[in-house]
Amino acid sequence: MTDTLLPAPKKLFIKTYGCQMNVYDSDRMADALAPHGYEPVQAMEDADLVVLNTCHIREKASEKVFSEIGRLREMRDERRLTGGDLMIGVAGCVAQAEGDEIVRRAPAVNLVFGPQSYHRLPELLARAHNGARVVDTDFPEEDKFAHLPAATKAVTRSRGLTAFLTVQEGCDKFCSFCVVPYTRGAETSRPLEQVLREAETLADGGVRELTLLGQNVNAWHGLDARGRTVGLGELCYRLSLIPGIARIRYTTSHPLDMSDELIEMHRDLEALMPYLHLPVQSGSDHILKAMNRRHTAAEYLAVIDRIKAARPDMAMSGDFIVGFPGETDEDFEATMQLVRQVGYASAYTFKYSIRPGTPGATMDGQVDEAIKTERLNRLNEQINLQMREFLRSTVGRTVPVLIEKPGRQPGQIGGRTPYLQAVHMDGPERLIGHIVSVEIVEARNNSLIGKIVTDVERNPVSVLESQASAAQI
Ligand code: 5AD
Ligand code: SF4
């Protein structure tokens, strides 16, 4: 008998920047390369191929990429002294927006490819291995999702109880500060059946909580088997019927796409979590208009009223930009006022950053950096106050918690409330993956401390009682 020597596996490291959609995309890239002999490794230093999956949303994000490429080039040069080598790939939105610039500024990079090319990665890599410098940043007609391998069972098992699932990509809204419509292209929805099949695979792999992703996720729409158009609310309902899927979240939403169907689903569907990321960016109508958000502050607040009427305990989250061109002290005060009125449970805040090619970049009235910093600090202070207030408001309540992992100390476990708050508590590790009733006893700075009351899921008996009866047997 002769042994056939398989080629040694090639080692892959993907460094992910930016949003959750990039996290999802990085996983899909790893899935696409697995059949071609690429194994993920934990450390960049061990890899034969390093892919930087980049983010272009703000200036600092893209500058970081160029300095990382510099470090990788040094690593490659050192290896070449001893006969080794390193392939360097740049993916994601910087690649899409600045592909030619990367090729010019960073000759060490072997391949550059945008978010619409991930399914072609094996082929692009083969070309790069033959010595070509490959750039692929087209927006092809074909559907990348139809060609990308869906999450595989083996892969999902190692990825835990919560998973991201991209259902929608791209954006047609063209907010005047934002590069997404240029880097991610036109708004597209993944077909209903494709999403359901991928969710089933994730559930089979042990996933209990899905976060549906899209730049404009609530604009998702698809066709059911009878050819009827269905929206995100119906998709959530269908997903909730998949055995194992207990919780559904989605992000990011646009206020104009918050349909009645979706809002009603928040009232009727227990699996749909009461936490909503609904960016407004500014509280000033004059700035909202300049941002091309296509709604006023009052219209945004009216959407929240409709949501709270359906689901009074909805925790709100948002995004804010300070220092957009033309923003006066008065405009900023209107943002502060809106923040106080909504009472956000959390929010992301940014200084306006010029993105070349967007309308905002050439607008008059660019705001001084020092003023941006001062406004950002004031806004952050207010939001931190509200975040802590929101954490405290949960103390004394008993809420279902999905137990996700062992705690920091032995005998402890950790999970999340429906409102996405982290909770730590004493409890056995066998509860990981279960939804357990937890009384919140204390609020810390960024998390909660809880006490298990019952194992609510398919087990009406108290955990403590069942432990006691097990001991009696
Ligand atoms: N400058 C600052 N923040 C931005 N965002 C998007 N583009 C910019 C920019 N040019 C923020 C918005 C958006 C979030 C994802 O990033 O708040 O909702
Ligand atoms: Fe960018 Fe969101 Fe506006 Fe689309 S809706 S342009 S992704 S900020």
Side-chain angles (χ1 to χ4, degrees):
M1 221 175 87
T2 51
D3 278 340
T4 0
L5 273 182
L6 288 171
K10 287 163 275 187
K11 302 205 162 61
L12 166 71
F13 184 88
I14 305 179
K15 180 160 181 174
T16 309
Y17 300 81
C19 67
Q20 292 141 331
M21 191 173 286
N22 268 7
V23 175
Y24 176 87
D25 281 346
S26 292
D27 286 352
R28 294 291 80 70
M29 282 187 233
D31 291 339
L33 287 173
H36 299 267
Y38 280 90
E39 267 181 5
V41 288
Q42 297 301 317
M44 195 181 258
E45 291 68 29
D46 298 334
D48 305 306
L49 167 65
V50 173
V51 175
L52 305 177
N53 191 8
T54 62
C55 170
H56 197 242
I57 198 97
R58 285 169 295 277
E59 198 170 12
K60 282 204 181 106
S62 37
E63 275 316 307
K64 271 192 226 153
V65 173
F66 281 103
S67 58
E68 189 70 54
I69 294 173
R71 275 199 293 279
L72 286 170
R73 192 197 57 222
E74 282 171 23
M75 199 161 103
R76 185 204 62 181
D77 290 348
E78 253 170 55
R79 285 188 192 183
R80 284 188 175 170
L81 294 176
T82 54
D85 209 348
L86 174 69
M87 291 276 277
I88 305 172
V90 181
C93 295
V94 177
Q96 185 65 46
E98 294 183 11
D100 295 334
E101 166 91 355
I102 296 169
V103 170
R104 201 174 49 74
R105 252 176 86 176
V109 171
N110 302 90
L111 70 161
V112 177
F113 52 105
Q116 303 308 319
S117 314
Y118 298 158
H119 58 294
R120 286 202 294 270
L121 186 51
E123 172 208 325
L124 300 177
L125 252 179
R127 275 166 47 201
H129 269 295
N130 289 334
R133 288 191 81 200
V134 179
V135 182
D136 190 336
T137 51
D138 291 343
F139 280 110
E141 286 297 306
E142 72 212 35
D143 169 14
K144 91 169 179 190
F145 293 113
H147 298 273
L148 263 182
T152 57
K153 218 194 241 183
V155 173
T156 45
R157 264 193 211 295
S158 62
R159 286 189 192 145
L161 296 158
T162 59
F164 296 129
L165 203 176
T166 295
V167 301
Q168 181 280 326
E169 194 171 352
C171 181
D172 295 338
K173 296 279 192 294
F174 289 93
C175 299
S176 58
F177 51 82
C178 186
V179 286
V180 166
Y182 311 95
T183 57
R184 291 274 173 175
E187 202 171 282
T188 52
S189 293
R190 274 179 90 179
L192 176 67
E193 283 304 316
Q194 213 186 83
V195 174
L196 294 176
R197 293 297 85 77
E198 184 161 337
E200 280 164 6
T201 312
L202 289 165
D204 283 352
V207 167
R208 311 247 29 219
E209 176 177 303
L210 287 176
T211 301
L212 311 181
L213 300 180
Q215 272 90 24
N216 242 303
V217 72
N218 57 344
W220 181 90
H221 55 92
L223 295 176
D224 70 3
R226 283 178 289 152
R228 203 171 48 104
T229 299
V230 293
L232 187 69
E234 172 93 16
L235 176 64
C236 291
Y237 170 68
R238 299 284 195 95
L239 289 167
S240 75
L241 300 178
I242 297 174
I245 299 298
R247 290 181 159 192
I248 300 167
R249 305 179 185 278
Y250 58 90
T251 192
T252 291
S253 297
H254 192 285
L256 291 185
D257 291 316
M258 229 38 235
S259 69
D260 288 339
E261 180 237 9
L262 181 56
I263 293 177
E264 279 160 22
M265 216 39 98
H266 274 287
R267 181 191 61 206
D268 300 336
L269 190 63
E270 211 190 315
L272 199 49
M273 291 294 101
Y275 178 96
L276 183 64
H277 185 63
L278 195 65
V280 62
Q281 316 294 354
S282 167
S284 151
D285 286 345
H286 145 73
I287 294 297
L288 286 170
K289 192 159 196 309
M291 285 177 163
N292 192 31
R293 290 290 293 181
R294 294 187 263 170
H295 59 76
T296 61
E299 281 161 351
Y300 174 79
L301 292 169
V303 174
I304 295 186
D305 284 347
R306 277 163 59 217
I307 295 165
K308 291 252 168 142
R311 185 78 212 220
D313 65 336
M314 183 73 85
M316 296 302 305
S317 152
D319 290 344
F320 292 90
I321 297 177
V322 298
F324 186 77
E327 188 185 70
T328 62
D329 283 342
E330 246 180 2
D331 292 321
F332 176 67
E333 288 311 323
T335 299
M336 291 292 285
Q337 171 57 26
L338 181 139
V339 167
R340 282 190 288 266
Q341 198 169 337
V342 173
Y344 288 95
S346 82
Y348 300 92
T349 57
F350 310 102
K351 285 191 221 176
Y352 173 66
S353 149
I354 290 181
R355 301 288 68 207
T358 60
T362 49
M363 281 182 187
D364 291 338
Q366 298 289 337
V367 175
D368 201 72
E369 200 54 31
I371 296 180
K372 284 186 198 171
T373 305
E374 196 226 326
R375 289 181 185 163
L376 187 75
N377 290 344
R378 273 191 61 202
L379 183 59
N380 282 344
E381 232 168 76
Q382 175 63 26
I383 282 168
N384 285 339
L385 209 76
Q386 287 180 196
M387 274 169 69
R388 282 198 293 274
E389 221 163 82
F390 183 71
L391 281 175
R392 274 200 302 274
S393 73
T394 335
V395 174
R397 285 183 60 194
T398 297
V399 290
V401 171
L402 173 62
I403 308 295
E404 291 174 26
K405 53 183 184 213
R408 275 181 229 122
Q409 275 140 38
Q412 279 200 340
I413 48 179
R416 284 189 187 268
T417 71
Y419 314 106
L420 212 57
Q421 301 152 305
V423 196
H424 308 283
M425 72 215 90
D426 290 338
E429 282 189 21
R430 68 178 171 81
L431 292 180
I432 291 172
H434 291 264
I435 294 176
V436 173
S437 234
V438 174
E439 186 191 334
I440 306 301
V441 291
E442 192 189 326
R444 298 264 166 96
N445 262 348
N446 295 306
S447 61
L448 298 168
I449 306 295
K451 201 175 88 199
I452 293 172
V453 183
T454 51
D455 189 347
V456 287
E457 192 187 43
R458 284 188 207 93
N459 180 9
V461 188
S462 138
V463 172
L464 300 175
E465 274 172 33
S466 65
Q467 277 172 345
S469 55
Q472 279 160 19
I473 293 168

